[in-house]
Amino acid sequence: MTSPHPHASPTPGGPLAPRPPAAKAADTTRDNPWPLRRLTENIKVYVDRMSPLWVTGQVVEYKVRPGAKMHFLTLRDLETDTSMTVTAWANIMEGTPLAEGARVVTRVKPVFWERSGRLNLQAAEIHLQGVGDLLAQIEALRARLAAEGLFADARKKPLPFAPRTIGLICGRGAKAKEDVVVNASERWPLARFEIREVAVQGDHCVAEVGAALGELDAIDGVDVIVIARGGGAVEDLLPFSDERLVRAVAAARTPIVSAIGHEGDSPLLDLIADYRASTPTDAARRIVPDHARERDGLAQAQSRMRGALAARLSMERTNLALVASRPVLRGPEAILDGHRATLAQHVSALRATIERRLASERQELTRSRATLTALSPQATLDRGYSLLKTPSGALITSSGQVKKGDLIEGILASGRMVAQVVGATAPAPPGSP
């Protein structure tokens, strides 16, 4: 036997009739709940009964949409993380030039959308109250850190070509983690990761990201650290402009890659990081080389090296063949032929010179001999004359040099003799005939 339908009641003589829904929320039960549409209808009724009111807050997200009839902005509470979407017609926004960070006071009417279950605020008036304190403080911090030189390019550390281990700081179960790990591993299959999943928005973000950064920075082998989030509302990215986190990144010894926002976002972490990636995927492409491209580059380099070596070898072979074809190498003794001929010429010339000199000297000797013969006392002796000398060897030229009885030596043309003086006449005086 089947039990009756919980929303039906028995009727005499017929099937069970549907039970009418509860009139009030307090009357609903597990057996008699409201359909969800009934709840959203009643919420809309309650919200529509609310009176317009004035609220104040800070504009944390506002994208200008030229030509749009309806504009959207995100209004954040000045003290808590509470935020709501505000819509306004174009004519209202035209008179109020808003910018992200502006503090405003606006007259709004709460609007509840039944299909999405979202509560928005419809603005009837928006008035500026000044620049938002939080973003103004960030701008002041930006200027102060820039004056300290913390954003200078000279401070930025180069990223390693192929890191041994990649440190990754990301949200818990975030898509940014998959973007970095998958894309980096596809490019470089040897990529290894040390991953720290932390809060990447809210009150605990700065403390958890800072602790993870310090832990990874202390690990030997972690050559680069990626801080990834992948964009979000301006208020969600505010922790990444916190001075404590910015200075922790500046003090890190490991190169830091910031992959926090999208192209339009610019937290201070982007300025202090060693490399600012536009997205987590861009970070993955930057921190590791492309294995396929490097392999192709290596193959091309090897091909160029082989070609260069082959060309050099061919050139050297050609040069060697040219050298080997020279006559001096085909007949090495030929190199001496010229020297032999030159030497023979020098020998012949030397001999001729010597012979000429000898002939000249012979002629001179003959002339000298003839002169000597002509002037020699021997010639005189040959003509019948003789020389007389005293025993002391002095030549006798006057009779006054000897006396009777002296022995004298006579030198003839042929031979010598000894004679004794038996008498001598006195020499004639000078000038007498």
Side-chain angles (χ1 to χ4, degrees), residues 78-103:
L78 299 176
E79 297 181 358
T80 67
D81 286 337
T82 304
S83 60
M84 293 188 69
T85 300
V86 178
T87 60
W89 295 106
N91 60 337
I92 296 175
M93 302 303 294
E94 289 173 358
T96 310
L98 292 183
E100 292 181 352
R103 181 183 294 181

PDB file of all heavy atoms in Angstrom, residues 78-103:
ATOM      1  N   LEU A  78      33.262  51.700   3.167  1.00  0.00           N
ATOM      2  CA  LEU A  78      34.517  52.365   3.497  1.00  0.00           C
ATOM      3  C   LEU A  78      35.306  51.636   4.578  1.00  0.00           C
ATOM      4  O   LEU A  78      36.499  51.895   4.746  1.00  0.00           O
ATOM      5  CB  LEU A  78      34.232  53.804   3.952  1.00  0.00           C
ATOM      6  CG  LEU A  78      33.554  54.706   2.903  1.00  0.00           C
ATOM      7  CD1 LEU A  78      33.242  56.067   3.488  1.00  0.00           C
ATOM      8  CD2 LEU A  78      34.422  54.845   1.675  1.00  0.00           C
ATOM      9  N   GLU A  79      34.676  50.733   5.320  1.00  0.00           N
ATOM     10  CA  GLU A  79      35.375  50.076   6.425  1.00  0.00           C
ATOM     11  C   GLU A  79      35.428  48.563   6.297  1.00  0.00           C
ATOM     12  O   GLU A  79      36.328  47.929   6.844  1.00  0.00           O
ATOM     13  CB  GLU A  79      34.705  50.451   7.755  1.00  0.00           C
ATOM     14  CG  GLU A  79      34.776  51.950   8.060  1.00  0.00           C
ATOM     15  CD  GLU A  79      34.118  52.280   9.393  1.00  0.00           C
ATOM     16  OE1 GLU A  79      33.590  51.347  10.033  1.00  0.00           O
ATOM     17  OE2 GLU A  79      34.137  53.459   9.782  1.00  0.00           O
ATOM     18  N   THR A  80      34.481  47.938   5.622  1.00  0.00           N
ATOM     19  CA  THR A  80      34.461  46.482   5.502  1.00  0.00           C
ATOM     20  C   THR A  80      34.572  46.088   4.035  1.00  0.00           C
ATOM     21  O   THR A  80      34.639  46.941   3.151  1.00  0.00           O
ATOM     22  CB  THR A  80      33.164  45.903   6.091  1.00  0.00           C
ATOM     23  OG1 THR A  80      32.049  46.313   5.268  1.00  0.00           O
ATOM     24  CG2 THR A  80      32.941  46.398   7.511  1.00  0.00           C
ATOM     25  N   ASP A  81      34.558  44.771   3.805  1.00  0.00           N
ATOM     26  CA  ASP A  81      34.664  44.267   2.438  1.00  0.00           C
ATOM     27  C   ASP A  81      33.311  44.171   1.736  1.00  0.00           C
ATOM     28  O   ASP A  81      33.216  43.613   0.648  1.00  0.00           O
ATOM     29  CB  ASP A  81      35.320  42.879   2.438  1.00  0.00           C
ATOM     30  CG  ASP A  81      36.807  42.967   2.717  1.00  0.00           C
ATOM     31  OD1 ASP A  81      37.379  44.044   2.482  1.00  0.00           O
ATOM     32  OD2 ASP A  81      37.388  41.970   3.179  1.00  0.00           O
ATOM     33  N   THR A  82      32.274  44.717   2.324  1.00  0.00           N
ATOM     34  CA  THR A  82      30.938  44.659   1.715  1.00  0.00           C
ATOM     35  C   THR A  82      30.903  45.501   0.450  1.00  0.00           C
ATOM     36  O   THR A  82      31.367  46.645   0.436  1.00  0.00           O
ATOM     37  CB  THR A  82      29.874  45.174   2.708  1.00  0.00           C
ATOM     38  OG1 THR A  82      29.957  44.413   3.906  1.00  0.00           O
ATOM     39  CG2 THR A  82      28.480  45.054   2.107  1.00  0.00           C
ATOM     40  N   SER A  83      30.373  44.924  -0.628  1.00  0.00           N
ATOM     41  CA  SER A  83      30.280  45.664  -1.883  1.00  0.00           C
ATOM     42  C   SER A  83      29.009  45.254  -2.608  1.00  0.00           C
ATOM     43  O   SER A  83      28.498  44.148  -2.426  1.00  0.00           O
ATOM     44  CB  SER A  83      31.498  45.400  -2.772  1.00  0.00           C
ATOM     45  OG  SER A  83      31.589  44.028  -3.066  1.00  0.00           O
ATOM     46  N   MET A  84      28.486  46.156  -3.431  1.00  0.00           N
ATOM     47  CA  MET A  84      27.271  45.906  -4.217  1.00  0.00           C
ATOM     48  C   MET A  84      27.427  46.566  -5.576  1.00  0.00           C
ATOM     49  O   MET A  84      28.180  47.532  -5.756  1.00  0.00           O
ATOM     50  CB  MET A  84      26.022  46.452  -3.514  1.00  0.00           C
ATOM     51  CG  MET A  84      25.652  45.742  -2.224  1.00  0.00           C
ATOM     52  SD  MET A  84      24.059  46.289  -1.568  1.00  0.00           S
ATOM     53  CE  MET A  84      22.943  45.610  -2.797  1.00  0.00           C
ATOM     54  N   THR A  85      26.669  46.016  -6.535  1.00  0.00           N
ATOM     55  CA  THR A  85      26.650  46.581  -7.878  1.00  0.00           C
ATOM     56  C   THR A  85      25.600  47.682  -7.941  1.00  0.00           C
ATOM     57  O   THR A  85      24.466  47.513  -7.464  1.00  0.00           O
ATOM     58  CB  THR A  85      26.338  45.504  -8.914  1.00  0.00           C
ATOM     59  OG1 THR A  85      27.339  44.494  -8.862  1.00  0.00           O
ATOM     60  CG2 THR A  85      26.293  46.094 -10.318  1.00  0.00           C
ATOM     61  N   VAL A  86      25.970  48.801  -8.554  1.00  0.00           N
ATOM     62  CA  VAL A  86      25.068  49.946  -8.699  1.00  0.00           C
ATOM     63  C   VAL A  86      24.878  50.200 -10.188  1.00  0.00           C
ATOM     64  O   VAL A  86      25.856  50.199 -10.956  1.00  0.00           O
ATOM     65  CB  VAL A  86      25.639  51.192  -8.008  1.00  0.00           C
ATOM     66  CG1 VAL A  86      24.710  52.391  -8.207  1.00  0.00           C
ATOM     67  CG2 VAL A  86      25.870  50.930  -6.527  1.00  0.00           C
ATOM     68  N   THR A  87      23.651  50.376 -10.597  1.00  0.00           N
ATOM     69  CA  THR A  87      23.351  50.720 -11.990  1.00  0.00           C
ATOM     70  C   THR A  87      22.825  52.147 -12.035  1.00  0.00           C
ATOM     71  O   THR A  87      22.206  52.632 -11.087  1.00  0.00           O
ATOM     72  CB  THR A  87      22.312  49.769 -12.593  1.00  0.00           C
ATOM     73  OG1 THR A  87      21.094  49.852 -11.822  1.00  0.00           O
ATOM     74  CG2 THR A  87      22.813  48.330 -12.560  1.00  0.00           C
ATOM     75  N   ALA A  88      23.127  52.835 -13.158  1.00  0.00           N
ATOM     76  CA  ALA A  88      22.666  54.216 -13.311  1.00  0.00           C
ATOM     77  C   ALA A  88      22.483  54.499 -14.783  1.00  0.00           C
ATOM     78  O   ALA A  88      23.246  54.011 -15.622  1.00  0.00           O
ATOM     79  CB  ALA A  88      23.674  55.182 -12.691  1.00  0.00           C
ATOM     80  N   TRP A  89      21.487  55.283 -15.112  1.00  0.00           N
ATOM     81  CA  TRP A  89      21.263  55.675 -16.493  1.00  0.00           C
ATOM     82  C   TRP A  89      22.357  56.626 -16.954  1.00  0.00           C
ATOM     83  O   TRP A  89      23.011  57.295 -16.153  1.00  0.00           O
ATOM     84  CB  TRP A  89      19.891  56.321 -16.663  1.00  0.00           C
ATOM     85  CG  TRP A  89      18.751  55.375 -16.410  1.00  0.00           C
ATOM     86  CD1 TRP A  89      17.937  55.334 -15.333  1.00  0.00           C
ATOM     87  CD2 TRP A  89      18.331  54.337 -17.285  1.00  0.00           C
ATOM     88  NE1 TRP A  89      17.014  54.323 -15.446  1.00  0.00           N
ATOM     89  CE2 TRP A  89      17.230  53.683 -16.650  1.00  0.00           C
ATOM     90  CE3 TRP A  89      18.738  53.866 -18.530  1.00  0.00           C
ATOM     91  CZ2 TRP A  89      16.568  52.610 -17.221  1.00  0.00           C
ATOM     92  CZ3 TRP A  89      18.071  52.810 -19.098  1.00  0.00           C
ATOM     93  CH2 TRP A  89      16.998  52.181 -18.439  1.00  0.00           C
ATOM     94  N   ALA A  90      22.565  56.672 -18.258  1.00  0.00           N
ATOM     95  CA  ALA A  90      23.675  57.435 -18.828  1.00  0.00           C
ATOM     96  C   ALA A  90      23.587  58.913 -18.463  1.00  0.00           C
ATOM     97  O   ALA A  90      24.610  59.560 -18.207  1.00  0.00           O
ATOM     98  CB  ALA A  90      23.714  57.264 -20.342  1.00  0.00           C
ATOM     99  N   ASN A  91      22.362  59.488 -18.425  1.00  0.00           N
ATOM    100  CA  ASN A  91      22.242  60.917 -18.140  1.00  0.00           C
ATOM    101  C   ASN A  91      22.702  61.245 -16.720  1.00  0.00           C
ATOM    102  O   ASN A  91      23.176  62.348 -16.447  1.00  0.00           O
ATOM    103  CB  ASN A  91      20.799  61.386 -18.365  1.00  0.00           C
ATOM    104  CG  ASN A  91      19.813  60.647 -17.472  1.00  0.00           C
ATOM    105  OD1 ASN A  91      20.094  59.533 -17.012  1.00  0.00           O
ATOM    106  ND2 ASN A  91      18.656  61.256 -17.217  1.00  0.00           N
ATOM    107  N   ILE A  92      22.585  60.289 -15.811  1.00  0.00           N
ATOM    108  CA  ILE A  92      23.052  60.517 -14.440  1.00  0.00           C
ATOM    109  C   ILE A  92      24.576  60.495 -14.378  1.00  0.00           C
ATOM    110  O   ILE A  92      25.207  61.304 -13.702  1.00  0.00           O
ATOM    111  CB  ILE A  92      22.451  59.465 -13.496  1.00  0.00           C
ATOM    112  CG1 ILE A  92      20.915  59.621 -13.460  1.00  0.00           C
ATOM    113  CG2 ILE A  92      23.039  59.560 -12.102  1.00  0.00           C
ATOM    114  CD1 ILE A  92      20.218  58.548 -12.658  1.00  0.00           C
ATOM    115  N   MET A  93      25.187  59.574 -15.117  1.00  0.00           N
ATOM    116  CA  MET A  93      26.639  59.445 -15.087  1.00  0.00           C
ATOM    117  C   MET A  93      27.323  60.590 -15.824  1.00  0.00           C
ATOM    118  O   MET A  93      28.465  60.944 -15.508  1.00  0.00           O
ATOM    119  CB  MET A  93      27.066  58.117 -15.719  1.00  0.00           C
ATOM    120  CG  MET A  93      26.459  56.892 -15.028  1.00  0.00           C
ATOM    121  SD  MET A  93      26.851  56.807 -13.276  1.00  0.00           S
ATOM    122  CE  MET A  93      28.607  56.564 -13.347  1.00  0.00           C
ATOM    123  N   GLU A  94      26.640  61.175 -16.816  1.00  0.00           N
ATOM    124  CA  GLU A  94      27.256  62.250 -17.588  1.00  0.00           C
ATOM    125  C   GLU A  94      27.579  63.459 -16.716  1.00  0.00           C
ATOM    126  O   GLU A  94      28.569  64.138 -16.908  1.00  0.00           O
ATOM    127  CB  GLU A  94      26.335  62.671 -18.737  1.00  0.00           C
ATOM    128  CG  GLU A  94      26.250  61.631 -19.848  1.00  0.00           C
ATOM    129  CD  GLU A  94      25.219  61.995 -20.888  1.00  0.00           C
ATOM    130  OE1 GLU A  94      24.549  63.051 -20.709  1.00  0.00           O
ATOM    131  OE2 GLU A  94      25.072  61.244 -21.876  1.00  0.00           O
ATOM    132  N   GLY A  95      26.783  63.712 -15.741  1.00  0.00           N
ATOM    133  CA  GLY A  95      27.015  64.871 -14.879  1.00  0.00           C
ATOM    134  C   GLY A  95      27.959  64.568 -13.730  1.00  0.00           C
ATOM    135  O   GLY A  95      28.250  65.471 -12.940  1.00  0.00           O
ATOM    136  N   THR A  96      28.397  63.327 -13.606  1.00  0.00           N
ATOM    137  CA  THR A  96      29.280  62.959 -12.489  1.00  0.00           C
ATOM    138  C   THR A  96      30.467  62.177 -13.043  1.00  0.00           C
ATOM    139  O   THR A  96      30.390  60.954 -13.225  1.00  0.00           O
ATOM    140  CB  THR A  96      28.517  62.098 -11.463  1.00  0.00           C
ATOM    141  OG1 THR A  96      27.291  62.736 -11.118  1.00  0.00           O
ATOM    142  CG2 THR A  96      29.368  61.898 -10.216  1.00  0.00           C
ATOM    143  N   PRO A  97      31.583  62.835 -13.351  1.00  0.00           N
ATOM    144  CA  PRO A  97      32.753  62.133 -13.901  1.00  0.00           C
ATOM    145  C   PRO A  97      33.440  61.275 -12.816  1.00  0.00           C
ATOM    146  O   PRO A  97      34.222  61.773 -12.014  1.00  0.00           O
ATOM    147  CB  PRO A  97      33.667  63.281 -14.355  1.00  0.00           C
ATOM    148  CG  PRO A  97      33.279  64.446 -13.498  1.00  0.00           C
ATOM    149  CD  PRO A  97      31.805  64.289 -13.220  1.00  0.00           C
ATOM    150  N   LEU A  98      33.118  60.000 -12.820  1.00  0.00           N
ATOM    151  CA  LEU A  98      33.647  59.110 -11.786  1.00  0.00           C
ATOM    152  C   LEU A  98      34.980  58.498 -12.213  1.00  0.00           C
ATOM    153  O   LEU A  98      35.296  58.407 -13.396  1.00  0.00           O
ATOM    154  CB  LEU A  98      32.657  57.984 -11.499  1.00  0.00           C
ATOM    155  CG  LEU A  98      31.336  58.368 -10.819  1.00  0.00           C
ATOM    156  CD1 LEU A  98      30.518  57.117 -10.560  1.00  0.00           C
ATOM    157  CD2 LEU A  98      31.601  59.083  -9.507  1.00  0.00           C
ATOM    158  N   ALA A  99      35.726  58.053 -11.224  1.00  0.00           N
ATOM    159  CA  ALA A  99      36.964  57.304 -11.440  1.00  0.00           C
ATOM    160  C   ALA A  99      37.086  56.301 -10.309  1.00  0.00           C
ATOM    161  O   ALA A  99      36.546  56.505  -9.212  1.00  0.00           O
ATOM    162  CB  ALA A  99      38.173  58.229 -11.468  1.00  0.00           C
ATOM    163  N   GLU A 100      37.738  55.203 -10.584  1.00  0.00           N
ATOM    164  CA  GLU A 100      37.933  54.197  -9.540  1.00  0.00           C
ATOM    165  C   GLU A 100      38.691  54.813  -8.370  1.00  0.00           C
ATOM    166  O   GLU A 100      39.709  55.474  -8.541  1.00  0.00           O
ATOM    167  CB  GLU A 100      38.691  52.992 -10.094  1.00  0.00           C
ATOM    168  CG  GLU A 100      37.883  52.210 -11.109  1.00  0.00           C
ATOM    169  CD  GLU A 100      38.627  51.002 -11.645  1.00  0.00           C
ATOM    170  OE1 GLU A 100      39.823  50.858 -11.334  1.00  0.00           O
ATOM    171  OE2 GLU A 100      38.023  50.204 -12.381  1.00  0.00           O
ATOM    172  N   GLY A 101      38.211  54.570  -7.155  1.00  0.00           N
ATOM    173  CA  GLY A 101      38.808  55.143  -5.956  1.00  0.00           C
ATOM    174  C   GLY A 101      38.047  56.336  -5.424  1.00  0.00           C
ATOM    175  O   GLY A 101      38.332  56.803  -4.315  1.00  0.00           O
ATOM    176  N   ALA A 102      37.077  56.848  -6.220  1.00  0.00           N
ATOM    177  CA  ALA A 102      36.328  58.021  -5.771  1.00  0.00           C
ATOM    178  C   ALA A 102      35.343  57.643  -4.667  1.00  0.00           C
ATOM    179  O   ALA A 102      34.753  56.565  -4.679  1.00  0.00           O
ATOM    180  CB  ALA A 102      35.589  58.651  -6.944  1.00  0.00           C
ATOM    181  N   ARG A 103      35.194  58.523  -3.686  1.00  0.00           N
ATOM    182  CA  ARG A 103      34.179  58.350  -2.642  1.00  0.00           C
ATOM    183  C   ARG A 103      32.939  59.125  -3.064  1.00  0.00           C
ATOM    184  O   ARG A 103      33.031  60.285  -3.458  1.00  0.00           O
ATOM    185  CB  ARG A 103      34.694  58.869  -1.302  1.00  0.00           C
ATOM    186  CG  ARG A 103      33.692  58.687  -0.166  1.00  0.00           C
ATOM    187  CD  ARG A 103      34.208  59.273   1.112  1.00  0.00           C
ATOM    188  NE  ARG A 103      35.375  58.541   1.605  1.00  0.00           N
ATOM    189  CZ  ARG A 103      36.013  58.847   2.726  1.00  0.00           C
ATOM    190  NH1 ARG A 103      35.613  59.887   3.450  1.00  0.00           N
ATOM    191  NH2 ARG A 103      37.043  58.128   3.124  1.00  0.00           N
TER     192      ARG A 103
END
